[in-house]
Amino acid sequence: MMHFADSLTFSGRKVVAAWAALPFPALSGSSLHDALSAHQQDVPWKLLSSGGEQKVSSCFAQSVVLRGVCKERPTSCPGSPLHGCESPEQLLQQYFHTQFPGAFSTSHVLQQPCDTQPPFPQFFSPLLSRRGFLLDKAQGYSSAGVESIPVLAALQSSPVLHSLLRGLGRALRPRDLRRWSCFFTAGVEHDDFQEALEELRTLSQCYEMGSGAGGSEDEADSD
């Protein structure tokens, strides 16, 4: 995983964030083209890494895997940015090009869905079919009847990590190491701890969009 993350980071960045759509929101009987076209304004996956609700507005690099997408023929929409794509891989790449222009993106499409039979946690909505696709109305069986789901998972190097890393530094800065003997037992010196905090602050700045972004916040962090 560390080597994989390294392939998505550059310009001093070292961290990636995990995102997922579980299940991937697609209507029963629809195509991947239809599902992606329904999310032109906002990508359909959520942040898994710590940091609360975050929207994906831009990214530097990403790797995405989509599993279990339906194979039906796409709806003909000549005006759509996705029109003319013949394969699921081309559809995803064009979608990423539209959502994140200039970002480095790789995508992989696997036909096999994610198996959700027991002991997989059965927390699904009654608006899912047995294959994990969205229904117009609730199904007549329990959510335990969901046997598989389409899933999209992504690792991203994105500006979201600026606030996540800065928040981690803020949480650690007030710590008084003299009150935590385990730090000294582990061989952590006060100067080393302060140096690590400064490195964390510098790393968070690598994820800023624009040289002037977040300047006042970083100055507040150093006070």
Side-chain angles (χ1 to χ4, degrees):
M1 183 61 73
M2 181 177 64
H3 295 300
F4 185 47
D6 284 344
S7 68
L8 298 175
T9 54
F10 43 84
S11 300
R13 305 179 187 110
K14 302 178 181 179
V15 182
V16 293
W19 305 76
L22 193 156
F24 179 74
L27 291 171
S28 181
S30 68
S31 66
L32 176 59
H33 180 283
D34 299 330
L36 294 177
S37 295
H39 294 276
Q40 293 291 337
Q41 302 302 318
D42 195 11
V43 295
W45 56 86
K46 303 295 183 181
L47 180 66
L48 298 182
S49 303
S50 176
E53 188 72 15
Q54 298 275 357
K55 285 189 175 182
V56 190
S57 57
S58 60
C59 78
F60 308 113
Q62 63 180 347
S63 180
V64 181
V65 176
L66 177 64
R67 296 182 56 177
V69 68
C70 37
K71 295 292 184 180
E72 283 79 359
R73 186 176 182 177
T75 303
S76 178
C77 299
S80 168
L82 305 179
H83 178 68
C85 298
E86 298 181 355
S87 68
E89 289 82 3
Q90 289 180 342
L91 275 170
L92 277 180
Q93 283 297 116
Q94 182 58 39
Y95 180 75
F96 297 146
H97 177 73
T98 302
Q99 295 290 330
F100 310 109
F104 170 75
S105 298
T106 64
S107 60
H108 304 276
V109 178
L110 306 177
Q111 186 172 358
Q112 185 68 25
C114 178
D115 182 33
T116 57
Q117 298 184 50
F120 195 95
Q122 299 301 311
F123 47 65
F124 301 109
S125 164
L127 291 173
L128 286 183
S129 71
R130 292 184 182 275
R131 298 302 179 189
F133 295 105
L134 300 175
L135 301 171
D136 294 330
K137 59 181 180 179
Q139 59 190 0
Y141 50 89
S142 70
S143 61
V146 178
E147 300 173 352
S148 64
I149 56 172
V151 175
L152 185 145
L155 289 180
Q156 277 190 347
S157 172
S158 74
V160 165
L161 287 159
H162 171 62
S163 58
L164 296 185
L165 294 171
R166 191 183 67 238
L168 177 59
R170 283 177 170 173
L172 292 174
R173 187 165 287 109
R175 304 294 180 184
D176 185 355
L177 295 188
R178 292 171 296 183
R179 300 179 56 187
W180 305 89
S181 60
C182 58
F183 278 90
F184 298 105
T185 303
V188 179
E189 299 293 338
H190 184 270
D191 290 344
D192 295 335
F193 181 71
Q194 294 301 318
E195 182 180 350
L197 286 179
E198 183 58 30
E199 291 177 353
L200 184 61
R201 178 174 176 270
T202 301
L203 179 60
S204 73
Q205 293 174 338
C206 294
Y207 292 90
E208 288 184 281
M209 292 294 289
S211 58
S216 60
E217 293 173 317
D218 287 329
E219 289 173 6
D221 285 348
S222 62
D223 291 341

